[in-house]
Amino acid sequence: MDVFQLVREFLSGKGAADRFEHELHNLDNTEVKIALLGRSGTGKSSLMNALVGERVAASGAVETTTKAQEFNVNGLIFVDLPGGGTTRFPFDEYLDTMKINTYDAFILVVSKRILESDLDLLNELKSRTGKKIHVVRTMIDQDIENAVHDGISPELVLPRLRSDLESKFGSTHHCWLISNRHPKEYDFPAFSDSLLEDFDDARRDKYVFAVKAYTDGQLRRKREVAERHVTLFAGMAAVNGFNPVFGADIVADVAILVKMNQWILRCYKLDEEHMHKQLRRTPLSSAQVTLVNRLIAYGTKEFILSLLKRQVTRMTGKELAKWVPVVGHMASAGLGFALTRWMGHDLILQCEEATRSLMREVHSTPARTSKSKHPV
Ligand SMILES: Nc1nc2c(ncn2[C@@H]2O[C@H](COP(=O)(O)OP(=O)(O)OP(=O)(O)O)[C@@H](O)[C@H]2O)c(=O)[nH]1
Ligand SMILES: [Mg+2]
């Protein structure tokens, strides 16, 4: 969908004002449903947590999940189907009751030894869905550690495990070697990205929005999705025809900016709720707490109003005009469009920088125990 075309149509009197709201509403309501299957203790919950970058499911050394559970993280729904292939949860029963056609992707999680029951489950899934199943072997970090302990060169571990996995599951399936403790390493990023191939455009956007970005490529994808959404919010502002500095309806217009900024913060997992949860597990330096607090403020009406007064009143029409390349003129619709795009773009860049900074810090100081201040 071409947002600029929609704006042009609207300005020429042909388009309907609620098209943008419809588009945003559709995207907001799109859901992606992923089935996680595998024996107990293989790392299903940990995999889900690593993908979304937060602890949504309990994981542990003892059997933690004994019945099917659904987790919804910003529209990305994981259905954790524990113990598939064991006597306790015969997989036939699963496959009969799980409404197989409602899933967008299937992940079979294995670790250490691969059993006949894993192969049976895979074949049954494949024949019922007709889809490629993602086979994920977790705990690669431990395999490498064990190899070093056993005097085997760590360079040999991955090729050996890969050919073992492929000889068992065959090359018709995607096979990945990952560690849930190191989501930037091994096949984890490639595995996460490969899921995108299973989705249509709207689901792809939703998946990118909901997962955590660990690599430059994933950050780039987040930026593309975020910019697309910002353009939609800008379209909404344009058709509302707002004049945020001089207009009387400033509160209604600020509401669009608040909504957009909150969306961007959630996309980068820098929203207040996420940061509160995160800080309980990973302390930040005081400089980072300040940075996060500043970003969280972008999601509030008060901060946006002060930003509009401080910054936008000083901006020239020419500066803002570059955010309306297609609308092409500074009518009130153009101004609303330009201002929204400018603010969205600016926040996206700040969130990207903050994400890189937080990633660097977590990477370089993995085990800090000091207590830090919580944001806001
Ligand atoms: N080193 C390492 N440990 C992992 C990895 N993945 C999971 N674990 C650990 O393995 C244990 C089991 O992981 P879970 O994620 O709870 O496994 P599960 O498949 O959800 O287990 P159930 O809920 O009982 O079905 C936990 O202690 C995890 O911390 C990994 O990639 N590397
Ligand atoms: Mg579990």
Side-chain angles (χ1 to χ4, degrees), residues 38-47 58-65 80 82-83 138-142 178-181:
R39 280 174 283 128
S40 175
T42 49
K44 296 178 296 301
S45 301
S46 307
L47 173 62
S59 60
V62 291
E63 197 171 338
T64 45
T65 324
D80 185 341
T138 61
M139 309 198 193
I140 293 306
D141 54 320
Q142 286 183 353
I178 68 154
S179 164
N180 293 318
R181 303 243 167 113

